[in-house]
Amino acid sequence: MRNGRATHLTRRGVLAAGGAIGLGAALAACGDDDTKSGGSDDASTAAKTGPWSFKDDRGETAKADKTPANIVAFTGVAAALYDYGVSVKGVFGPTRTKDGKADVQAGDMDISKVTILGNEWGQFNIEKYAALAPDVLISTMFDDAGTLWYVPEESKDKILKLAPSVGISVYDRQMTEPLQRLLALAETLGADVKADKVTKAKKRFEDAAAKLRAAAKANPDIKVLVGSASQDIFYVSGSNLSADLEYFKALGVNLVEPPAKTLKASGGWFENLSWENVDKYDADIIMMDNRTSAIQPDDITEGTWKKLPAVKAGQVIPRVTEPIYSYDKCAPILEDLATAIEKAKKVS
């Protein structure tokens, strides 16, 4: 459910979008040289003949004389487009890990075949971007102010002058909406949305949603806490702004919900807990932020964490905090949570 209000987040708050985060190092990152409407009325025809246009979730219409070929996108968006057969030339956002492997947000993309304009928060190489002769820039949005995710605020005017832009909102709505919107966008960019791979993935997602609904209904007492770990803080996510958590809740999942007053400081996203107070909320399952910016469960050394009933019971699972919004990538998210709920022991 949309709350209809503007939420002005700090960098930390914005970076917490999708749940919770501890991103101290990324917040300080600087530039690096390596670094509610539908689309076209007849998308498949437009993709073949042009001109091209798409009305985004800011209410703005991006236009071009022909279907964009030189596409630049936030990594997660690029990964979703890839699943629909649409390739991009450049990406920005978490793409390559420190050991050179593909970041979890890159999905199935071959990251050696794209130009990485920036790999961390604040990084966006404008010169490389211009050299790509971009036809369109695409990103997600985690607020209702039209802020394009991972497009640096201090250089956005220069960046957005170089090509039309598209913003797909993942804020304060259920995940089915950005899934539909990215599919519609992909169609305008030439994707065959009736391809067997796409229709099978969509059917799998629908079946996964039914499975999660059934699991939640059969196990209403299983409490699921959604968290993220940083060196000094454990973040407990609220569920009213994140597309995945809103959808889980709509399907009946019993999510642990911090009081509104404790979420207020972060604009509604999360509550900060010290590690000494990590046991504030009872939970049977803990979903932990899987992004490379967050400390992963196996690397948490805090004794208070290890004493949590869900941790002792081995009932800690990943949370795909920034989903790749293709049906192929979102179906397993629902399946895995359903399985975890079905198998969970009541420990809270």
Side-chain angles (χ1 to χ4, degrees):
M1 181 178 70
R2 296 176 184 76
N3 57 20
R5 57 177 174 77
T7 301
H8 302 288
L9 302 177
T10 63
R11 271 192 174 188
R12 186 184 218 170
V14 171
L15 279 166
I21 192 170
L23 256 183
L27 292 177
C30 58
D32 186 340
D33 287 341
D34 247 321
T35 49
K36 295 202 161 182
S37 46
S40 169
D41 290 336
D42 190 350
S44 58
T45 301
K48 294 175 182 177
T49 64
W52 174 86
S53 68
F54 186 84
K55 189 173 183 180
D56 74 359
D57 293 337
R58 299 171 297 182
E60 299 180 9
T61 301
K63 298 179 180 180
D65 293 336
K66 58 182 180 179
T67 302
N70 295 340
I71 301 169
V72 174
F74 171 69
T75 303
V77 171
L81 293 175
Y82 179 89
D83 285 347
Y84 294 128
V86 177
S87 298
V88 306
K89 292 293 181 67
V91 296
F92 54 95
T95 306
R96 184 173 53 211
T97 61
K98 291 180 180 179
D99 60 5
K101 296 179 181 179
D103 188 276
V104 64
Q105 295 191 58
D108 294 331
M109 283 193 302
D110 183 346
I111 62 172
S112 70
K113 295 183 178 179
V114 295
T115 298
I116 301 174
L117 304 175
N119 199 60
E120 296 181 4
W121 183 257
Q123 294 179 350
F124 194 110
N125 191 307
I126 300 176
E127 290 73 22
K128 283 188 175 183
Y129 177 57
L132 291 174
D135 294 320
V136 66
L137 179 148
I138 309 169
S139 192
T140 48
M141 300 183 298
F142 284 95
D143 60 26
D144 55 8
T147 304
L148 296 176
W149 191 230
Y150 267 80
V151 175
E153 190 69 18
E154 60 272 17
S155 55
K156 69 174 184 180
D157 291 342
K158 291 181 180 179
I159 293 168
L160 298 182
K161 284 180 181 178
L162 295 174
S165 62
V166 170
I168 300 296
S169 181
V170 295
Y171 171 73
D172 197 13
R173 63 202 61 212
Q174 295 178 23
M175 71 188 309
T176 47
E177 290 192 48
L179 276 169
Q180 292 164 1
R181 296 291 285 137
L182 267 167
L183 182 63
L185 174 60
E187 185 177 13
T188 73
L189 295 172
D192 180 3
V193 300
K194 294 182 174 63
D196 191 52
K197 177 183 177 182
V198 176
T199 56
K200 283 183 176 179
K202 190 172 182 180
K203 177 63 165 56
R204 181 183 174 186
F205 176 85
E206 292 166 351
D207 290 345
K211 179 180 179 180
L212 180 54
R213 187 188 296 276
K217 185 176 181 179
N219 302 276
D221 295 332
I222 296 297
K223 298 178 182 178
V224 180
L225 182 145
V226 181
S228 182
S230 70
Q231 184 173 352
D232 300 316
I233 299 173
F234 183 79
Y235 302 85
V236 179
S237 294
S239 66
N240 289 328
L241 301 179
S242 301
D244 61 333
L245 303 188
E246 287 205 18
Y247 193 47
F248 298 163
K249 186 167 59 176
L251 292 174
V253 176
N254 185 0
L255 293 173
V256 174
E257 189 74 40
K261 63 180 180 180
T262 64
L263 296 171
K264 187 175 181 180
S266 69
W269 291 106
F270 56 85
E271 177 182 359
N272 296 355
L273 296 178
S274 67
W275 284 104
E276 291 77 12
N277 295 316
V278 73
D279 60 353
K280 179 176 179 179
Y281 298 106
D282 293 331
D284 303 295
I285 295 173
I286 301 177
M287 298 183 75
M288 290 294 289
D289 189 345
N290 76 330
R291 291 177 291 186
T292 52
S293 54
I295 298 175
Q296 296 306 300
D298 288 346
D299 298 320
I300 298 174
T301 59
E302 300 290 340
T304 48
W305 163 261
K306 295 180 179 180
K307 292 178 182 178
L308 294 177
V311 176
K312 292 170 69 176
Q315 295 177 176
V316 178
I317 64 173
R319 178 208 177 184
V320 183
T321 306
E322 289 187 52
I324 294 169
Y325 283 100
S326 71
Y327 289 102
D328 181 71
K329 294 298 182 293
C330 286
I333 295 173
L334 305 185
E335 292 167 348
D336 292 347
L337 179 55
T339 298
I341 292 173
E342 289 170 348
K343 293 182 177 180
K345 297 177 181 178
K346 182 67 179 175
V347 295
S348 65

